[in-house]
Amino acid sequence: MQSFEKNNRSKARVIAHAMKALITAADNVLIMSHKWPDMDAFGSSIGAYCICKYLGKEASIVMDKHNEAIETMYRQVEDTDQYNIIKYERAMELMTDGTLLIIVDVNRPGLLESMDVYKKAKDLIVIDHHRMTGDSIQDATIAYVESYASSASELIAELIQHFSQKRFTSKLEAEAMLAGIMV
């Protein structure tokens, strides 16, 4: 067990380092999950947004519709005016050759919030806890897909630890990720 944990921490550190390079080099970052996001999709999106904000990069969460499962947390996030949540049409307008797309909590293109955004992205990071299948995304620049994890929010929380020794998440961001882990 100790060896597994050590290897996992090493992998998370390597992934975080590679993510930092891609995020820093990007013109902008779009974060997207699956259609009708659940709390894990939303919490991991908020966590990825937090990483981008920490690195000083403009980011947007692509979400067309949400359901009542995330309504309370969604309203809290929306009320802060600190997060850029956009519809897929706006995401398409923002996309350039230098846009980085971070996909969380899903690794199958058919389940994505927007297939058009995915198809237009040149650089892409996938962070997910679901098992890979024959129709999983194959063209990711970075794929951190670990089925041992309880959630994509757990994977994002692991990665956040490797960006700074100091805490840079807000209470709301931590609660969103914790809610994603708990559900």
Side-chain angles (χ1 to χ4, degrees), residues 10 19-20 47 51 65 75 92 104 132 143 152 169 178 183:
S10 296
M19 278 181 70
K20 181 178 182 180
I51 291 169
K65 297 177 184 173
R75 290 286 164 231
M92 291 298 289
V104 293
M132 299 282 282
T169 56
L178 179 60
V183 173

Side-chain angles (χ1 to χ4, degrees), residues 9 13 21 43 51 69 84 87 95 112 134 137 156 169:
R9 280 195 306 268
R13 186 174 52 252
I51 291 169
N84 193 19
K87 306 283 186 205
M95 290 195 80
L112 291 170
I137 294 169
I156 291 284
T169 56

Side-chain angles (χ1 to χ4, degrees), residues 66-80:
H66 67 279
N67 56 38
E68 63 261 359
I70 68 167
E71 183 66 30
T72 302
M73 185 62 67
Y74 182 89
R75 290 286 164 231
Q76 289 176 8
V77 165
E78 192 176 55
D79 288 347
T80 67

Side-chain angles (χ1 to χ4, degrees), residues 128-139:
D128 190 21
H129 67 109
H130 299 100
R131 291 177 191 238
M132 299 282 282
T133 62
D135 63 341
S136 292
I137 294 169
Q138 300 296 320
D139 58 343

Side-chain angles (χ1 to χ4, degrees), residues 27-156:
D27 291 343
N28 62 357
V29 180
L30 297 177
I31 302 160
M32 184 170 67
S33 188
H34 52 79
K35 294 176 187 168
W36 293 103
D38 54 18
M39 202 55 237
D40 185 27
F42 192 57
S44 56
S45 294
I46 293 295
Y49 189 94
C50 179
I51 291 169
C52 294
K53 185 173 66 175
Y54 173 75
L55 295 173
K57 190 56 66 174
E58 184 73 29
S60 301
I61 298 171
V62 181
M63 185 185 306
D64 274 9
K65 297 177 184 173
H66 67 279
N67 56 38
E68 63 261 359
I70 68 167
E71 183 66 30
T72 302
M73 185 62 67
Y74 182 89
R75 290 286 164 231
Q76 289 176 8
V77 165
E78 192 176 55
D79 288 347
T80 67
D81 285 333
Q82 294 179 20
Y83 305 89
N84 193 19
I85 301 174
I86 61 173
K87 306 283 186 205
Y88 89 92
E89 292 93 352
R90 179 68 180 133
M92 291 298 289
E93 293 171 3
L94 292 174
M95 290 195 80
T96 68
D97 285 346
T99 297
L100 172 64
L101 176 61
I102 300 176
I103 295 174
V104 293
D105 196 36
V106 62
N107 66 50
R108 297 171 63 197
L111 301 177
L112 291 170
E113 181 70 45
S114 170
M115 184 66 86
D116 293 336
V117 171
Y118 163 68
K119 286 180 179 177
K120 194 169 179 182
K122 295 199 181 337
D123 286 317
L124 130 88
I125 297 171
V126 176
I127 301 169
D128 190 21
H129 67 109
H130 299 100
R131 291 177 191 238
M132 299 282 282
T133 62
D135 63 341
S136 292
I137 294 169
Q138 300 296 320
D139 58 343
T141 311
I142 298 172
Y144 189 37
V145 180
E146 298 292 342
S147 58
Y148 74 82
S150 67
S151 59
S153 294
E154 176 186 342
L155 294 172
I156 291 284

